[in-house]
């Protein structure tokens, strides 16, 4: 059948953004880390949880890994639909969490690396930290939902009310208690050691408790930067549309009686907008967002001076503007402009002008092709045509502007026309740069 | 397959059934009115303003030709092509867009459209283009011909040729494309090259096939470095 249907369609020329891991907001047991990891790796969440629980047996590795991921992996956005979680799944998850913590403690006790005096307080600190961090996630979610933020307390509690405050305080108390028990139970300390350890423990406590807000602060900053860039971009588009499109529309309304003028304005505006959107330095290319319109303009004229395609486009645009016709131009390949090619473009422009003046058509086709050895330009209309031998002596356009100019620069001109057959001017120019390169 | 071909041959006596896909209602109305007035060889049987509507409408109405806008929300013309073509391989698509950016043109052709014309095309030419794709030919605007020439050009740094049958144009195809880009009609190309119009059509269809199937770098990753020989 049709082989095309099996073809791999190349839909996106731009590479997709690499997938980033997100913590789950729904269907989670503690912070959605295991779920997010499962989504990211494309495996069952159950096995990820088992892996964390088993890792916890190795000196609490699973717990540490879980904590680090909790800290540094952002939550998925509020737009992701809520997942359903069955009661069995939930039970399983809670069971695995308990198993993991139990394994961590038991393994620590068995190995003796963690004494009983340490395991208890550490567990209390961990639970306290988990409570506070969970509350931070909740606060962030509420903030997303309400889209508002009010002062310092708002950042901490996220409009969660008294319950949130109670939860945060309870978490803080747990962390503090854990650290205090740890300090008190630590055997054989002299006074200086005790003070140093106390200071250290306090610092650890503060760090653990404030981690979510530090992380969020940095994330908020980058979020704000992105929003600012978006706003600037929108302002730039608005400014451009105002300067060009709205002005032109106003002019068109004023000139509504003159069909020719309206056509000219519309065509000119179309050309400019097209260039802005799809042109070589165009907005749609999106590589570098130019800061303001004047710089944009300078870039465009620079380009017109340097490459053939841009020069042809400029020349065609000028003729369109002056004679209110449409110049359909196609350029294959491109190369830097030199004196000869400037002459070629000027000759081509003159040919288009001739067609616009004498052929009596609304559209002229220009085709330019850059080949390794030479550059060719074809200017064609389907208009009246003429008898080349019967051109009156007072019309110098073809003889001087086109033929003379081309010959002075080493190019050649061929003309195909007959009355009623349209006209095609074929211009050819050897490329000097390639010749020199070979010499 | 023969049954559908036979049906297509008899249907050709009747007007070509056209389905319009464009997210601008104003534009759809304009095209419908234009096609109704210029010719009775073309009949607009339905229209759609979104990808979903288009997929449903085309499946239901089974038009001969779909006039497809390239830029639409939810994936645009390429998405419609992707979803409809596997199920209805006999429906042909002609892309009709305001954009003449190389990426857009090449992308929709590679997704399976039989031709590409810009929205500034005159009504008569549009009707002619519709009839032409309905008969199984390809429609290349001068600009599309230029893009394809550019994409298949051999220049320093071009991708290696893996499959010469797909990755290279024959000299004859190149000549035909060049004349298309210069604004010649098929008949004019035929007399210029001393071949029949049928042969011109064969060359253009072959170029279309290569454009859709070749894996050369320029065709898939177009925009960035396509200029400068």
């Amino acid at each position: 059948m049709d082989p095309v249907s099996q073809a791999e369609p190349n839909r996106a020329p731009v590479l997709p953004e690499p997938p980033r891991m997100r913590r789950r907001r729904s269907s989670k047991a503690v912070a959605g880390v295991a779920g997010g990891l499962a989504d990211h790796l494309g495996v069952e969440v159950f096995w990820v949880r088992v892996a964390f629980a088993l890792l916890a047996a190795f000196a609490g590795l699973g717990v540490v890994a879980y904590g680090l991921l909790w800290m540094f992996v952002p939550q998925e956005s509020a737009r992701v639909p809520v997942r359903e979680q069955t009661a069995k799944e939930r039970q399983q998850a809670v069971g695995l969490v308990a198993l993991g913590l139990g394994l961590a403690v038991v393994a620590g006790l068995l190995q003796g690396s963690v004494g009983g005096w340490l395991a208890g307080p550490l567990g209390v600190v961990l639970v306290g930290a988990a409570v506070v961090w969970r509350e931070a996630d909740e606060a962030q979610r509420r903030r997303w939902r309400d889209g508002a933020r009010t002062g310092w307390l708002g950042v901490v509690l996220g409009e969660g009310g008294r319950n949130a405050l109670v939860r945060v305080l309870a978490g803080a108390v747990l962390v503090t208690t854990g650290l205090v028990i740890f300090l008190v139970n630590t055997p054989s300390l002299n006074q200086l050691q005790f003070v140093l350890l106390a200071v250290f423990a306090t610092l650890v406590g503060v760090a653990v408790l404030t981690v979510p807000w530090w992380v969020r602060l940095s994330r908020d900053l980058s979020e704000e930067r992105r929003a600012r860039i978006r706003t600037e971009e929108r302002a730039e588009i608005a400014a451009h549309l105002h300067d060009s499109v709205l002005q032109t529309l106003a002019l068109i309304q004023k000139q509504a009686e003159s069909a020719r003028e309206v056509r000219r304005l519309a065509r000119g505006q179309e050309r400019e907008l097209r260039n802005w959107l799809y042109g070589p330095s165009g907005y749609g290319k999106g590589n570098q967002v130019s800061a303001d319109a004047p710089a944009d303009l300078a870039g465009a004229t620079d380009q017109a001076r340097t490459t053939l395609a841009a020069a042809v486009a400029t020349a065609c645009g000028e003729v369109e503007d002056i004679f209110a016709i449409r110049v359909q131009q196609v350029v294959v390949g491109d190369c830097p402009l030199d004196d000869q090619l400037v002459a070629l473009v000027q000759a081509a422009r003159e040919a288009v002008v001739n067609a616009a003046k004498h052929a009596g058509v609304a559209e002229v086709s220009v085709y330019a092709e850059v080949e390794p050895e030479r550059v060719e330009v074809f200017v064609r209309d389907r208009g009246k045509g003429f008898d080349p031998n019967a051109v009156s002596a007072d019309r110098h356009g073809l003889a001087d502007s086109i033929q003379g100019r081309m010959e002075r620069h080493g190019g050649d001109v061929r003309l195909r026309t007959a009355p009623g057959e349209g006209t095609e001017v074929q211009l050819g120019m050897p490329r000097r740069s390639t010749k020199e390169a070979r010499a | 397959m023969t049954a559908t071909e036979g049906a297509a041959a008899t249907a050709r006596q009747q007007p070509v059934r056209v389905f319009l896909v464009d997210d601008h209602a104003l534009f759809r109305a304009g095209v419908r009115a234009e096609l109704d007035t210029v010719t009775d060889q073309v009949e607009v049987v339905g229209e759609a303003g979104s990808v979903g509507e288009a997929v449903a409408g085309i499946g239901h109405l089974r038009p001969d030709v779909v006039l497809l806008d390239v830029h639409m929300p939810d994936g645009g013309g390429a998405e419609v092509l992707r979803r409809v073509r596997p199920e209805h391989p006999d429906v042909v698509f002609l892309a009709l867009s305001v954009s003449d950016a190389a990426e857009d043109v090449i992308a929709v052709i590679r997704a399976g459209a039989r031709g590409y014309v810009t929205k500034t095309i005159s009504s008569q030419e549009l009707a002619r283009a519709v009839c032409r794709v309905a008969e199984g030919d390809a429609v290349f605007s001068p600009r599309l011909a230029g893009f394809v020439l550019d994409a298949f050009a051999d220049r320093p740094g071009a991708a290696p040729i893996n499959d010469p049958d797909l990755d290279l144009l024959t000299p004859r195809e190149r000549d035909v494309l060049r004349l298309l880009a210069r604004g010649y009609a098929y008949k004019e190309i035929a007399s210029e090259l001393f071949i029949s119009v049928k042969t011109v059509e064969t060359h253009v269809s072959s170029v279309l096939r290569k454009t859709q199937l070749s894996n050369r770098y320029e065709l898939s990753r177009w925009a960035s470095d396509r200029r400068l020989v």
Side-chain angles (χ1 to χ4, degrees):
Chain A
M1 292 243 289
D2 197 343
V4 174
S5 50
Q6 280 111 50
E8 186 68 17
N10 274 290
R11 262 168 287 119
V14 186
L15 282 176
E17 192 185 329
R20 297 186 55 187
M21 187 179 155
R22 303 267 173 216
R23 283 187 287 126
R24 277 191 192 178
R25 279 179 48 245
S26 50
S27 178
K28 61 177 192 176
V30 182
V33 170
L37 197 58
D39 293 342
H40 190 69
L41 300 176
V43 294
E44 283 274 334
V45 60
F46 175 75
W47 296 112
V48 177
R49 284 181 181 141
V50 167
F52 271 120
L54 291 181
L55 278 177
F58 298 97
L61 196 61
V63 180
V64 173
Y66 196 98
L68 287 176
L69 284 172
W70 190 349
M71 254 189 258
F72 294 113
V73 176
Q75 289 189 91
E76 64 191 9
S77 87
R79 284 192 299 276
V80 178
V82 174
R83 295 178 191 75
E84 293 299 324
Q85 190 182 30
T86 62
K88 188 179 155 216
E89 262 178 0
R90 184 150 191 87
Q91 245 171 0
Q92 239 170 22
V94 172
L96 282 170
V97 170
L99 179 71
L101 289 178
L103 276 176
V105 173
V106 170
L109 288 175
L110 284 182
Q111 285 169 349
S113 66
V114 183
W117 56 271
L118 189 53
L122 204 61
V124 175
V125 170
L126 280 180
V127 170
V131 167
V132 174
W133 288 11
R134 247 188 106 112
E135 193 48 48
D137 280 355
E138 287 290 332
Q140 189 183 23
R141 206 165 317 151
R142 276 193 292 270
R143 212 156 47 86
W144 274 342
R145 197 186 52 212
D146 304 335
R149 182 167 33 153
T150 43
W152 176 86
L153 209 62
V155 173
V156 177
L157 303 176
E159 315 283 331
R162 219 169 47 205
N163 290 341
L165 186 64
V166 169
R167 279 196 291 270
V168 170
L169 286 181
V173 167
L174 277 176
V175 171
T176 320
T177 316
L179 289 173
V180 167
I181 297 172
F182 164 70
L183 279 177
V184 171
N185 283 4
T186 308
S188 63
L189 281 178
N190 62 33
Q191 206 154 14
L192 180 67
Q193 278 172 328
F194 183 81
V195 169
L196 281 179
L197 207 53
V199 168
F200 180 70
T202 312
L203 286 178
V204 167
V206 169
V208 164
L209 286 176
T210 52
V211 156
W213 289 286
W214 288 119
V215 171
R216 185 183 321 147
L217 200 65
S218 74
R219 258 186 227 136
D220 277 358
L221 277 180
S222 64
E223 187 65 35
E224 265 168 31
R225 227 184 84 229
R226 234 173 300 151
R228 204 178 58 241
I229 289 171
R230 267 200 301 274
T231 317
E232 273 169 12
E233 198 146 312
R234 217 172 295 145
E236 194 207 336
I237 294 174
H240 182 91
L241 291 183
H242 176 264
D243 288 350
S244 57
V245 180
L246 287 182
Q247 303 282 16
T248 307
L249 286 176
L251 280 174
I252 284 179
Q253 287 170 37
K254 274 194 210 155
Q255 312 264 358
E257 313 81 45
S258 160
R260 181 191 145 97
E261 190 60 18
V262 167
R263 214 168 25 240
R264 193 179 70 76
L265 283 168
R267 181 65 187 141
Q269 182 56 62
E270 180 194 341
R271 197 176 55 241
E272 199 208 310
L273 199 57
R274 239 175 231 297
N275 189 47
W276 189 63
L277 285 170
Y278 311 117
S281 59
Y283 182 84
K285 295 286 170 281
N287 291 338
Q288 65 273 6
V289 179
S290 48
D292 47 3
D296 224 354
L297 225 63
T301 44
D302 258 7
Q303 194 106 36
R305 273 198 290 274
T306 51
T307 80
L308 179 79
V312 169
T314 314
C316 292
E318 285 166 9
V319 182
E320 279 189 342
D321 264 357
I322 297 168
F323 294 96
I325 57 160
R326 196 180 151 76
V327 181
Q328 153 94 47
Q329 35 132 345
V330 176
V331 181
V332 173
D334 201 356
C335 64
L337 219 48
D338 56 22
D339 289 349
Q340 287 172 305
L341 295 181
V342 169
L344 176 68
V345 172
Q346 281 167 348
R349 183 184 188 280
E350 199 56 39
V352 180
V353 168
N354 276 344
K357 273 189 192 162
H358 305 299
V361 288
E363 181 166 315
V364 179
S365 306
V366 173
Y367 171 69
E369 182 168 6
V370 180
E371 285 166 283
E373 306 284 321
R374 62 193 260 118
V375 178
E376 294 202 303
V377 179
F378 300 83
V379 178
R380 179 164 201 269
D381 67 73
R382 293 162 180 280
K384 288 199 271 241
F386 61 96
D387 180 354
N389 300 319
V391 175
S392 59
D394 61 320
R395 273 175 57 184
H396 293 289
L398 189 63
D400 294 347
S401 300
I402 301 179
Q403 217 133 27
R405 184 176 273 146
M406 290 301 287
E407 276 161 14
R408 272 198 301 281
H409 288 88
D412 53 87
V413 180
R414 278 160 298 152
L415 184 67
R416 293 180 54 171
T417 180
E421 299 268 294
T423 308
E424 185 172 64
V425 181
Q426 311 179 344
L427 308 167
M429 183 69 79
R431 284 181 70 185
R432 186 169 42 185
S433 47
T434 48
K435 262 193 293 179
E436 276 168 2
R438 290 184 178 197
Chain B
M1 199 63 204
T2 45
T4 29
E5 266 168 17
T10 47
R12 218 34 81 237
Q13 310 309 318
Q14 282 136 24
V16 179
R17 299 171 70 246
V18 173
F19 190 88
L20 294 177
V21 182
D22 196 303
D23 53 337
H24 295 102
L26 201 62
F27 184 78
R28 291 201 303 271
V31 170
R32 188 186 267 266
E34 278 180 5
L35 286 179
D36 282 350
T37 49
V38 276
T39 174
D40 47 8
Q41 291 174 322
V42 173
E43 181 199 1
V44 178
V45 293
E47 49 185 71
S50 70
V51 172
E53 272 178 51
V55 173
I58 295 166
H60 178 67
L61 289 166
R62 299 295 204 89
D64 300 320
V65 175
V66 176
L67 278 180
L68 188 65
D69 187 20
V70 173
H71 285 283
M72 283 189 295
D74 304 327
E79 176 69 12
V80 178
L81 278 160
R82 202 178 58 74
R83 281 167 58 181
V84 173
R85 279 182 58 78
E87 285 169 43
H88 307 287
D90 49 329
V91 177
V92 292
F93 289 82
L94 177 60
L96 176 65
S97 172
V98 74
S99 157
D100 50 16
E103 309 86 279
D104 292 340
V105 180
I106 295 290
V108 75
I109 289 293
R110 283 177 73 81
R114 297 283 303 169
Y116 190 105
V117 291
T118 45
K119 283 181 175 176
T120 45
I121 191 174
S122 76
S123 315
Q124 284 92 348
E125 279 180 85
L126 180 60
R128 259 200 300 274
V130 168
C131 295
R132 175 154 281 151
V133 291
E135 280 157 23
D137 291 327
V139 170
F140 273 39
S141 68
R143 197 166 272 265
L144 172 55
F147 287 153
V148 173
L149 270 177
D150 215 347
F152 279 101
D154 258 317
R155 60 178 65 107
I161 292 143
N162 299 320
D163 181 355
D165 282 344
L166 278 184
D167 296 344
L168 284 179
L169 299 177
T170 65
R172 212 40 165 181
E173 286 165 354
R174 214 169 266 279
D175 291 341
V176 170
L177 271 185
R178 253 189 215 122
L179 289 170
L180 272 174
R182 274 158 67 178
Y184 280 57
Y186 281 20
K187 211 188 291 170
E188 294 167 325
I189 296 172
S191 70
E192 176 83 20
L193 297 177
F194 305 108
I195 53 180
S196 70
V197 173
K198 197 74 220 153
T199 315
V200 175
E201 283 167 359
T202 313
H203 284 310
V204 176
S205 293
S206 155
V207 170
L208 178 81
R209 195 178 68 89
K210 290 179 181 180
T211 311
Q212 286 170 334
L213 296 182
S214 170
N215 283 322
R216 289 192 77 179
Y217 174 78
E218 284 83 355
L219 290 169
S220 39
R221 298 279 311 273
W222 237 83
S224 50
D225 55 0
R226 89 191 169 85
R227 310 230 127 223
L228 292 177
V229 175

